[in-house]
Amino acid sequence: MSYPSLPRLYSAAVLLSLAAALPAEGFRPARPGFAFEFPRDHGSHPEFKTEWWYFTGNVEAENGDPFGYQLTFFRNRLEPLGGLETASPLAASELFVGHAGISDGRGKRHGSAERVGRAGLGQASASTETLDVRMSDWKCVLLEDGSIAVAASGEFGALDLRLTPEKPPVIHGEDGVHQKAADPRQASHYVSFTRLRTEGTLTWQGAERRVAGTSWMDHEFFSELLDGGDTGWDWFALQLDDDTELMVYRLKRRDGSYNPNATGTLVLADRSTVPLAKGGYTIEPTGSWTSPHTGATYPMGWRIEVPERGIDLAVEALFEDQEMLKQRTTGTAYWEGAVRVTGTSGGRAVAGVGYVEMVGYASPFTLLGPTVAAD
């Protein structure tokens, strides 16, 4: 099967735009009272319009060279369940997009790749019973021993990793729903593995390396996410050496302010979670970087504080140029990069690693992307 191109009529941006343009009516909304059930809810939820499985991690080669990696699968449904189904595979009702990237911390270089596939043509699939998402040789699969196999290859290099959960799944938000705005329609169901022991191989610049480190998995599904005033976000997944993890974010608005409804989650060493309510943390940029590829200026360096927990962290990029130039499949470029963390928590010094995603700087994020055709 040839990747990443689709026939021009079915270009990625066109199909994503069609999916985004569909009204939420007919799709299942994210509502309080959702009861997660695993491993089933690690799988696909076709009754929801959009879904993604995000893997990010910081690993080291045997010689100590640091690397970051990203592997993401997006699922977009083109019509609600019960819609006009046909026997033709060309009328497949779901579109999948895959993004992968490697960050070379020593060489300060970043490489990435993208794929597009339609369900029903042998290009892409996602189980509804467990975690098993595939796009040809790209995959994330929950194995019988509870570990997760992830693999991808392309012009960026290759990943072949085994991820073993060291903590149980973390469900963000309240009563099974993660609210993004005051409007109850802007919400998702959001679950993470916040600490995954990672081992395997990473191929970069033609050389295969044995690597080990720590990963994070996010899985989110929804039918509506942002309100019309939000144009992007800054998302942080941080893993500290006191065996705690922190997920915080902020949503950018068109007027330059930030949506006040953002919440976060602190995962403690004993595996319990602390919800961080609206206004319970601050994120302040300490510098900036302008991309030579897109001209976008991103924050670069941050101070994150959670006053009630005595957390004060400095977050710095492994290196600046970790921009994902994926306008063909997402409608915009975004920054997705490995970071290093230092600071204090509860009066004690901490350090750690993590990943940051910044969307909406190269162009405002909209659920209705551009309709330019792919190659």
Side-chain angles (χ1 to χ4, degrees), residues 82-291:
L84 295 176
E85 303 279 357
T86 76
S88 170
L90 294 178
S93 59
E94 290 186 303
L95 174 72
F96 289 79
V97 171
H99 287 178
I102 292 176
S103 295
D104 172 5
R106 184 176 295 277
K108 297 184 174 11
R109 294 171 295 177
H110 180 262
S112 63
E114 60 192 331
R115 284 191 172 179
V116 181
R118 283 170 290 169
L121 288 176
Q123 295 178 332
S125 65
S127 169
T128 58
E129 300 300 323
T130 187
L131 177 61
D132 189 339
V133 185
R134 300 173 189 259
M135 298 183 70
S136 186
D137 63 335
W138 290 29
K139 67 179 181 180
C140 60
V141 179
L142 182 65
L143 304 177
E144 289 186 4
D145 66 359
S147 65
I148 301 169
V150 299
S153 62
E155 59 269 29
F156 74 104
L159 301 165
D160 188 356
L161 303 171
R162 181 72 62 90
L163 316 180
T164 302
E166 296 189 317
K167 292 185 177 181
V170 171
I171 298 169
H172 302 282
E174 297 181 6
D175 200 14
V177 69
H178 189 253
Q179 198 68 43
K180 300 293 195 297
D183 188 331
R185 293 174 297 178
Q186 273 77 60
S188 70
H189 300 303
Y190 180 11
V191 60
S192 301
F193 280 116
T194 61
R195 192 171 290 264
L196 293 154
R197 186 174 73 252
T198 302
E199 299 173 310
T201 61
L202 177 151
T203 302
W204 173 251
Q205 301 292 302
E208 183 179 278
R209 300 162 170 86
R210 299 260 348 144
V211 295
T214 305
S215 297
W216 179 298
M217 173 191 162
D218 271 347
H219 178 200
E220 201 161 359
F221 46 99
F222 53 90
S223 294
E224 293 189 49
L225 188 63
L226 305 181
D227 69 27
D230 294 322
T231 61
W233 59 83
D234 303 340
W235 167 87
F236 298 77
L238 308 179
Q239 298 159 319
L240 304 179
D241 60 6
D242 63 355
D243 201 28
T244 64
E245 298 87 51
L246 179 66
M247 185 284 292
V248 293
Y249 67 96
R250 60 181 189 168
L251 295 173
K252 297 170 52 191
R253 300 189 66 81
R254 293 186 187 279
D255 62 6
S257 65
Y258 292 90
N259 190 318
N261 294 283
T263 60
T265 305
L266 174 65
V267 184
L268 301 180
D270 66 4
R271 302 183 175 189
S272 64
T273 59
V274 179
L276 303 178
K278 293 183 288 186
Y281 60 87
T282 59
I283 301 171
E284 293 295 335
T286 57
S288 64
W289 171 74
T290 299
S291 166

Side-chain angles (χ1 to χ4, degrees), residues 261-323:
N261 294 283
T263 60
T265 305
L266 174 65
V267 184
L268 301 180
D270 66 4
R271 302 183 175 189
S272 64
T273 59
V274 179
L276 303 178
K278 293 183 288 186
Y281 60 87
T282 59
I283 301 171
E284 293 295 335
T286 57
S288 64
W289 171 74
T290 299
S291 166
H293 313 292
T294 63
T297 297
Y298 296 89
M300 199 59 59
W302 304 264
R303 183 180 183 184
I304 296 177
E305 293 184 90
V306 186
E308 289 190 2
R309 308 297 302 193
I311 295 174
D312 187 349
L313 304 175
V315 180
E316 299 292 338
L318 185 61
F319 60 95
E320 293 173 331
D321 192 355
Q322 299 180 74
E323 192 176 30

